Amino acid sequence: MQSSLFIFVAAILASVYSQVSMPPGYEERYPGYYKFSKQVRHPRDLTWDKNIGNGKVFGTLGQNDDGLFGKAGYKQQFFNDHRGKLEGQAYGTRVLGAAGDSTNFGGRLDWSNKNANAALDLSKQIGGRPNLSATGSGVWNFDKNTRLSAGGSLSTMGRGKPDVGVQAQFQHDF
């Protein structure tokens, strides 16, 4: 009885092992063999983008390996004239997953003209600390061979010290 049980278990293990193993180089020699056996996952995300008033409402509902997610927001252009171009955006996200849930919301302002641009982004995770990120840069031409470019950034993550970056370059072509 024990020997027949041992042979039966050995036969099952050999069968399982032979089905999950593949000789080296087999997939390269026979590329079409496993083409239909692999599970193909089609994206099932629902995305929308709709003009409302002077702005645009956008969003996505979807699923990936980490869980379910939803993103939504509103974007509007405030002006685009001699002062430059100013756009604003408010957004939020919600993620439901096995590793935990998270909710974020925030807003962003982007300004640019022919010489410079700047951005300000403020966001907060529910149960966390707010994050602030500000960047700016510009290029000013003094004449056809001389220009100054400068930029900087500021980033804070809650209560810690902010990260500050500054750069400048003066360039003259002889």
Side-chain angles (χ1 to χ4, degrees), residues 59-86:
T60 301
L61 293 173
Q63 167 187 344
N64 59 19
D65 294 336
D66 297 331
L68 302 171
F69 63 89
K71 304 176 197 176
Y74 179 75
K75 185 175 186 177
Q76 182 174 347
Q77 182 175 346
F78 296 109
F79 60 81
N80 187 2
D81 55 17
H82 63 88
R83 300 172 287 182
K85 180 179 177 182
L86 179 64

Side-chain angles (χ1 to χ4, degrees), residues 115 137-142 147-151 167-171:
N115 293 327
S137 64
V139 176
W140 294 271
N141 295 318
F142 296 116
R147 68 189 141 280
L148 171 68
S149 61
Q167 68 173 14
Q169 179 180 8
F170 183 79
Q171 186 175 2

Side-chain angles (χ1 to χ4, degrees), residues 106-167:
R108 180 175 177 88
L109 285 174
D110 291 307
W111 172 82
S112 63
N113 69 10
K114 65 179 183 173
N115 293 327
N117 60 25
L120 176 68
D121 192 353
L122 180 63
S123 63
K124 182 172 181 6
Q125 181 174 358
I126 299 296
R129 296 198 168 123
N131 299 322
L132 173 72
S133 174
T135 60
S137 64
V139 176
W140 294 271
N141 295 318
F142 296 116
D143 60 26
K144 68 179 187 172
N145 293 330
T146 308
R147 68 189 141 280
L148 171 68
S149 61
S153 65
L154 171 75
S155 178
T156 63
M157 297 282 195
R159 293 187 185 158
K161 292 183 179 180
D163 293 329
V164 178
V166 178
Q167 68 173 14

Side-chain angles (χ1 to χ4, degrees), residues 91-114:
Y91 56 86
T93 63
R94 176 75 173 147
V95 177
L96 302 172
D101 304 342
S102 68
T103 304
N104 297 309
F105 64 93
R108 180 175 177 88
L109 285 174
D110 291 307
W111 172 82
S112 63
N113 69 10
K114 65 179 183 173

